Amino acid sequence: MPQMSADQQHTQQIEQYLQIAEPVRAALAAGEPVVALESTVIAHGLPWPANVEVARAMEDAVRAEGATPATIALMDGQIVAGLDAAGIERLATAEHVLKASRRDLAPALARKAIAATTVAGTLACAALAGIRVFATGGIGGVHRGAAQTLDISADLIELSRSPVVTVCAGAKAILDLPMTLEYLETQSVPVIGYGTDELPAFYTRSSGLPVPHRADTPDEVAAMAHIQWQCGLGGGLLVTCPIPAEHALAADVAEAAIAQALREAEEQHIRGAATTPFLLARVAELTGGESVSANRALLLNNARLAARIACSLASLSTITV
Ligand code: PSU
Ligand code: MN
């Protein structure tokens, strides 16, 4: 039998656990643009049937810009990069869908559990699949009171680890946003305001907090990523793109809902991995249908921008990380 190189053995090992959908595999092999999409928003972020509709609309937005979407989740003992329509439906309607961050990937695969991937989980899977651009809604961050609880999302570490451009609408003010920016600085993640000098706060376009870098076109973002990887600096880049103005919530509405959700989490002693889902669900309930349409608008906007960045990156010469 011919000898396999260590690299080939490694690839073969990963392939047992990684199912890349055919259109995604073909696009990657041809150096064509691919955008990873997360699945937490399908399983945990939005109510049914809005979740299925938004997941499909995000994929359509990516395709409309000339890129191939790859929605990522764990099913039947494999990481699936490029869920099909049936996979999306299954994720949206299954009873117990795990929330998988990087630490949960191996246990969930071993148990053949169905799991939606968080930003950290999706980034780790995208990197394994060789996907370089990822669109999400809001990232996790440093929680308020983290000086006591040490509750800091693994998203922030993974952003520094996986060589992927993440496009988000900033982070919700359920988090300590100044500390989140500090932590991203410590982790050496370039934070790039897209068409803005301030960190967007998900439902609202601005937090009043300056970001260190700015880009106004997809080409500018692609150039930054390309140079970071060509120079061997590794890791990811975070693009923060404000929600389109016509869909932004009034600042006082968002703030009131966030303040109440935080109070309730405190009263009910919500801790650890349950904290973010609790806060997100309460904020969504308290702002009613308005938050769902805002969420939809920013997700589609981010998918579109991510696709444009992926197209621009693909047009640059071969990338070596
Ligand atoms: N913030 C949002 N929407 C989300 C999340 C955070 O505005 O959907 C989800 C993402 O999946 C993110 C995760 O990666 O919550 C962070 O969870 P934790 O704080 O437990 O790391
Ligand atoms: Mn946490």
Side-chain angles (χ1 to χ4, degrees), residues 76-96:
D76 309 318
Q78 286 194 307
I79 296 165
V80 183
L83 282 184
D84 58 13
I88 287 180
E89 194 72 38
R90 192 173 156 203
L91 199 72
T93 52
E95 278 275 321
H96 298 290

Side-chain angles (χ1 to χ4, degrees), residues 37-60 63 71 83-94 292 296 299-300:
L37 300 170
E38 61 137 321
S39 46
T40 309
V41 71
I42 307 174
H44 305 296
L46 290 166
W48 188 86
N51 54 358
V52 175
E53 191 274 325
V54 172
R56 288 199 187 124
M58 285 181 80
E59 293 200 341
D60 290 344
R63 286 194 196 97
T71 303
L83 282 184
D84 58 13
I88 287 180
E89 194 72 38
R90 192 173 156 203
L91 199 72
T93 52
V292 175
R296 180 181 194 278
L299 284 165
L300 296 192

Side-chain angles (χ1 to χ4, degrees), residues 38-41 44-45 99-101 103 116-122 134 136-141 143 151-156 170-172 174-175 202-203 272-277 280 295:
E38 61 137 321
S39 46
T40 309
V41 71
H44 305 296
K99 167 190 167 190
S101 186
R103 66 162 190 189
T117 46
T118 66
V119 169
T122 310
F134 163 45
T136 184
I139 58 161
H143 280 266
D151 190 348
I152 299 169
S153 176
D155 291 358
L156 302 183
K172 290 195 181 85
I174 55 172
L175 301 168
F202 195 85
Y203 290 128
T275 304
T276 298
L280 295 179
N295 218 328

